[in-house]
Amino acid sequence: MSFHNVTVRVLFSEHLVLSLFLLGGYVKPDLQSSFLLMFMRMLLVVPLMASVSFKLYPSAPQEFLSLFRRERRDVMLQALGCGVLMFLYITSLYIGIGLIPTGIALTIFFTYPVFTALLSWKFFGDAPTSFSWLVMGIILVGSVLTVPQSSATNSSNTIAIGICASLIAGIFNASYNVLAQKCLQKFHPVPFTWISFASTLVFSGLSLLLFPLPSAQLDWTPMWIGSIFSGLVSFLGHTLNNLGIRTIGATTASIIGASSPAMTALVAWATISETLNLIQCVGIGIVTLGIALLSREKFIGKQIRG
């Protein structure tokens, strides 16, 4: 997933990749370009995910068709709602990645567990513990430390838009998680995941029709290469994550997944020489630690009470 994020960054802005090739900057980091890159990526991911889904869960087609029954209409609306939220959070995250350093955009986005906890409290009555409040505070402090300074290449306005887009992406992702929790009580996760991705494909295509790109000539060959690569690595990322959950459990897998902002910053440094200052590195480390602690909140809470 870190390679997917860095690929999106390169498609939006020119970088010296591996210190050898000057690539990127094929589209502007705006709404229309985000719709286009998302559509191109999902054209590959959705069929791949469908083929894997049917093998993992042979009853997926029958369960999907059951959504069209009247008594399952609420489940269908929830699944489609999750598709809308996935489309919105990916769109916002793409804009964030295009405007500010990749590792910082992912770090701000990964504050979403804080919003997930607050929304779960509101809709499910799952009140955060004192330990949860402490960890959420740690995550927010860490994200503040990552905020980049304005420079000749990045104006304060550009940075502000990038930060807001990444934060909004986190809020939409938190909303997706909460709605998914409700939907998955009545729907199998395999067809549910496919519906979310297929909805994203449809909504991004419709958005391109409503908000078409300017008539400027686009360099389609590198864009397709980048989109295919990002689609493949994101598909592998989701598949490996699911295998990890099956092998070591969701809690341990989510703790490892908390390393995503730090891993993205490391991959960005190694591939496109994107550097961060010491304070930003500390902020990424604090957010990573906070997410890991929040993932193990129940276990640590028991230890503290014991």
Side-chain angles (χ1 to χ4, degrees):
M1 293 305 297
S2 297
F3 279 102
H4 163 260
N5 298 327
V6 172
T7 302
V8 172
R9 175 69 171 171
V10 171
L11 290 172
F12 278 131
S13 58
E14 191 175 66
H15 286 84
L16 189 63
V17 179
L18 300 176
S19 301
L20 296 173
F21 310 102
L22 190 63
L23 301 173
Y26 304 114
V27 287
K28 295 180 179 180
D30 54 21
L31 271 178
Q32 291 96 326
S33 300
S34 297
F35 296 151
L36 176 62
L37 295 183
M38 196 188 320
F39 181 76
M40 294 170 71
R41 171 195 169 197
M42 290 300 173
L43 275 177
L44 173 68
V45 173
V46 170
L48 275 175
M49 187 163 284
S51 63
V52 173
S53 296
F54 295 151
K55 291 180 180 179
L56 290 176
Y57 185 56
S59 300
Q62 291 85 350
E63 187 152 357
F64 174 75
L65 291 175
S66 73
L67 294 177
F68 294 93
R69 297 202 301 262
R70 180 175 299 179
E71 65 271 16
R72 301 271 286 174
R73 188 170 297 170
D74 60 330
V75 181
M76 174 184 278
L77 292 175
Q78 290 168 6
L80 290 176
C82 287
V84 172
L85 290 169
M86 175 179 277
F87 163 72
L88 291 173
Y89 89 69
I90 293 176
T91 301
S92 302
L93 183 59
Y94 275 17
I95 294 174
I97 290 174
L99 294 175
I100 58 179
T102 322
I104 294 176
L106 261 291
T107 301
I108 296 172
F109 169 72
F110 262 76
T111 59
Y112 75 82
V114 174
F115 303 110
T116 301
L118 295 175
L119 289 171
S120 296
W121 183 19
K122 178 176 177 60
F123 292 106
F124 298 112
D126 189 9
T129 63
S130 299
F131 180 78
S132 296
W133 285 114
L134 175 62
V135 173
M136 287 190 285
I138 290 173
I139 292 173
L140 293 177
V141 168
S143 64
V144 169
L145 292 177
T146 65
V147 174
Q149 301 295 320
S150 59
S151 63
T153 55
N154 291 312
S155 66
S156 57
N157 186 50
T158 299
I159 291 171
I161 295 174
I163 291 171
C164 289
S166 302
L167 189 61
I168 290 170
I171 295 172
F172 280 134
N173 187 48
S175 303
Y176 170 88
N177 291 335
V178 172
L179 185 57
Q181 179 181 337
K182 187 174 183 180
C183 183
L184 289 172
Q185 294 172 356
K186 302 177 182 178
F187 197 42
H188 194 277
V190 170
F192 167 81
T193 304
W194 183 83
I195 287 175
S196 295
F197 277 78
S199 299
T200 302
L201 172 63
V202 172
F203 290 131
S204 58
L206 291 175
S207 298
L208 282 174
L209 293 177
L210 294 174
F211 306 99
L213 284 166
S215 57
Q217 186 69 26
L218 297 175
D219 199 346
W220 288 105
T221 300
M223 285 178 60
W224 273 114
I225 293 173
S227 296
I228 291 172
F229 177 76
S230 67
L232 284 173
V233 295
S234 63
F235 172 75
L236 286 173
H238 283 287
T239 303
L240 290 172
N241 183 64
N242 291 334
L243 288 173
I245 291 172
R246 181 178 180 180
T247 305
I248 61 177
T251 300
T252 307
S254 65
I255 292 172
I256 296 172
S259 66
S260 183
M263 186 64 70
T264 298
L266 181 62
V267 170
W269 169 78
T271 56
I272 60 176
S273 302
E274 202 170 68
T275 58
L276 304 174
N277 60 39
L278 179 59
I279 294 177
Q280 290 169 332
C281 291
V282 170
I284 290 176
I286 290 174
V287 171
T288 300
L289 175 62
I291 297 167
L293 289 175
L294 200 58
S295 299
R296 286 299 292 263
E297 189 270 337
K298 290 184 179 179
F299 172 78
I300 294 176
K302 290 179 181 178
Q303 294 294 99
I304 291 175
R305 289 191 294 270

